[in-house]
Amino acid sequence: MVSPLRPCIRRLYATSSIAYAAEPRSCLASGTSTDYLTRKTHEGSQVDILLINSRLKELVKMGHLCDARRMFDELPQRDEISWTNMIAGYVNGSDPSEALSLFSRMWVDPNLQMDPFVLSLALKASGISMNKKFGDSLHGYSVKTGFV
């Protein structure tokens, strides 16, 4: 029974290993991500948002929120994943007020879409910070938009 699954797992592992090996090490090296970002922005070339988001997530998971925030603030374009990574980092790093501040900035941006995960992060942050008013607003928004 296990043998039919094994080739699928090997294929998945091989694919992820190849994708990881294909990432440029200059961006993933610790401490050089902001230099890479600045250099790419000044050169006028397109910044690979997937690569930047993976680096941002790596910094957040390692607990380097200051470096992640600096990188986030320097991004020329931010998508939902960038915002969610930073909000999750602040929620898990026990800084719910900063998480709610970022979420509020994300909420008013008309180009960004909310999803249930980022709403759950904001609800968790409002619960940790005992911010009932913000939690009530989030609940109303969730009901109004059909998330609940």
Side-chain angles (χ1 to χ4, degrees), residues 140-148:
Y141 176 78
S142 298
V143 170
K144 183 178 175 182
T145 57
F147 282 121
V148 176

Side-chain angles (χ1 to χ4, degrees), residues 73-93:
D73 289 339
E74 291 177 2
L75 282 175
Q77 60 185 16
R78 299 179 192 118
D79 63 356
E80 291 85 356
I81 297 169
S82 308
W83 287 92
T84 303
N85 280 333
M86 285 307 303
I87 293 169
Y90 282 121
V91 169
N92 295 330

